[in-house]
Amino acid sequence: MLRRVGRLLTTAKVQCFFDTADGRVAVTGQVGQSLMEAGKGGGVDIEAACDGECACCTCHCFVEEPFLSQLPERSEDEEDMLDMAPDLQDNSRLACQITLTEALDGITVKMPE
């Protein structure tokens, strides 16, 4: 069953990899779902205090190439939240602001420790 969460969800699947302090976690998400939703649903320890509303930085992650260059630019709201993130880097993004597409199949992100 598909559910709508402010975005159109499809049945297409996307493989996502989260590098955590405990190792790599492979998760299958749906096109249209946020990376944060896919990670949480797959058991990745993501706090996501604002539940994906871009009102905190607790889903901060580091996106690896070639996927970083495929993402849209950060919004002003995302930039503001990332300003509060510890260990901010050029490849820092909020997982709640990354909408999964077929082009992101295989996306790999590192979670801050």
Side-chain angles (χ1 to χ4, degrees):
M1 175 179 217
L2 296 178
R3 64 186 180 97
R4 186 182 169 118
V5 186
R7 300 175 207 75
L8 179 63
L9 294 180
T10 71
T11 57
K13 302 291 184 192
V14 177
Q15 193 72 26
C16 310
F17 299 96
F18 294 82
D19 290 338
T20 70
D22 296 327
R24 178 167 281 188
V25 179
V27 171
T28 301
Q30 289 181 295
V31 168
Q33 186 177 39
S34 76
L35 182 62
M36 180 211 70
E37 293 169 321
K40 285 185 64 104
V44 178
D45 185 20
I46 302 174
E47 182 178 345
C50 72
D51 202 28
E53 296 296 321
C54 196
C56 71
C57 63
T58 59
C59 67
H60 173 223
C61 63
F62 306 108
V63 181
E64 296 183 13
E65 287 294 356
F67 301 102
L68 181 64
S69 59
Q70 295 180 40
L71 298 176
E73 294 292 318
R74 297 175 188 152
S75 68
E76 188 174 326
D77 288 341
E78 184 177 7
E79 289 277 359
D80 290 345
M81 292 301 107
L82 284 169
D83 284 342
M84 297 184 291
D87 196 24
L88 184 64
Q89 298 177 16
D90 289 342
N91 64 338
S92 290
R93 294 300 300 257
L94 297 180
C96 70
Q97 298 303 295
I98 299 173
T99 301
L100 296 177
T101 65
E102 289 183 21
L104 294 178
D105 189 34
I107 188 169
T108 302
V109 298
K110 183 176 186 309
M111 303 306 292
E113 294 184 21

